[in-house]
Coordinates of all heavy atoms in Angstrom, one line a residue:
Q35 N 10.5 73.8 32.8 CA 9.3 73.9 33.5 C 9.4 74.8 34.8 O 8.5 75.5 35.2 CB 8.9 72.5 34.0 CG 7.9 71.8 33.1 CD 7.9 70.2 33.5 OE1 8.5 69.8 34.5 NE2 7.3 69.5 32.6
R90 N 10.3 63.0 37.3 CA 10.0 64.4 37.6 C 10.8 64.9 38.8 O 11.3 64.0 39.5 CB 8.6 64.5 37.8 CG 8.1 63.7 39.0 CD 6.5 63.8 39.2 NE 6.1 63.1 40.4 CZ 4.9 63.3 40.9 NH1 4.0 63.9 40.3 NH2 4.6 62.7 42.0
Q247 N 8.0 63.2 32.7 CA 6.6 63.0 32.7 C 6.0 63.1 34.2 O 6.5 62.3 35.0 CB 6.3 61.7 32.1 CG 4.8 61.3 32.1 CD 4.1 62.1 31.0 OE1 4.5 62.1 29.8 NE2 3.1 62.8 31.4
C248 N 5.2 64.1 34.4 CA 4.6 64.2 35.7 C 3.4 63.3 35.7 O 2.8 62.9 34.7 CB 4.1 65.6 36.0 SG 3.8 65.9 37.7
R249 N 3.0 62.9 36.9 CA 1.9 62.0 37.1 C 0.7 62.6 37.7 O -0.2 62.0 38.3 CB 2.3 60.7 37.8 CG 3.3 59.8 37.0 CD 3.8 58.7 37.7 NE 4.4 59.0 39.0 CZ 5.7 59.6 39.0 NH1 6.4 59.6 37.9 NH2 6.3 59.7 40.1
C250 N 0.8 64.0 37.9 CA -0.4 64.6 38.5 C -1.6 64.6 37.6 O -1.5 64.5 36.4 CB 0.0 66.1 38.9 SG 0.3 67.1 37.4
S251 N -2.8 64.6 38.2 CA -4.0 64.7 37.4 C -5.1 65.4 38.2 O -5.0 65.4 39.4 CB -4.5 63.3 37.0 OG -4.8 62.6 38.2
I255 N -5.4 65.2 42.3 CA -5.4 66.5 43.1 C -6.7 66.5 44.0 O -6.8 66.8 45.1 CB -5.2 67.7 42.3 CG1 -3.9 67.7 41.5 CG2 -5.3 68.9 43.2 CD1 -2.6 67.9 42.2
T279 N -1.4 74.2 42.5 CA -0.4 74.1 41.4 C 0.5 72.9 41.8 O 1.1 72.8 42.9 CB 0.3 75.4 41.3 OG1 -0.5 76.5 41.1 CG2 1.3 75.3 40.1
C280 N 0.7 72.0 40.8 CA 1.6 70.9 41.0 C 3.0 71.5 41.1 O 3.5 72.1 40.2 CB 1.5 69.9 39.9 SG 2.6 68.5 39.9
E281 N 3.7 71.1 42.2 CA 5.0 71.6 42.4 C 6.0 70.9 41.4 O 7.1 71.5 41.2 CB 5.4 71.3 43.9 CG 6.5 72.3 44.3 CD 6.7 72.2 45.8 OE1 5.8 71.7 46.5 OE2 7.8 72.7 46.3
F282 N 5.7 69.8 40.9 CA 6.6 69.1 40.0 C 6.6 69.8 38.6 O 7.6 69.8 38.0 CB 6.3 67.6 39.9 CG 6.8 66.8 41.1 CD1 6.0 66.4 42.1 CD2 8.1 66.5 41.2 CE1 6.4 65.7 43.2 CE2 8.6 65.8 42.3 CZ 7.7 65.4 43.3
C283 N 5.4 70.0 38.1 CA 5.3 70.4 36.7 C 4.7 71.8 36.5 O 4.6 72.3 35.3 CB 4.5 69.4 35.9 SG 2.8 69.3 36.4
G284 N 4.2 72.4 37.5 CA 3.6 73.7 37.4 C 2.2 73.8 36.9 O 1.6 74.9 36.7
V285 N 1.6 72.7 36.5 CA 0.2 72.7 36.0 C -0.7 73.0 37.2 O -0.6 72.5 38.3 CB -0.1 71.4 35.4 CG1 -1.7 71.2 35.1 CG2 0.6 71.1 34.1
G286 N -1.7 73.9 36.9 CA -2.6 74.3 38.0 C -4.0 73.6 37.8 O -4.4 73.4 36.6
Y287 N -4.6 73.3 38.9 CA -5.9 72.6 39.0 C -6.8 73.5 39.8 O -6.4 73.8 40.9 CB -5.8 71.3 39.5 CG -5.0 70.3 38.7 CD1 -3.6 70.1 38.9 CD2 -5.5 69.6 37.6 CE1 -2.8 69.3 38.2 CE2 -4.7 68.8 36.8 CZ -3.3 68.6 37.1 OH -2.5 67.8 36.4
Ligands
ZN301 ZN1 2.5 67.7 37.8

Side-chain angles (χ1 to χ4, degrees):
Q35 265 164 6
R90 59 182 190 171
Q247 179 73 56
C248 195
R249 290 178 302 285
C250 64
S251 65
I255 302 281
T279 303
C280 173
E281 205 169 338
F282 282 103
C283 67
V285 170
Y287 297 92

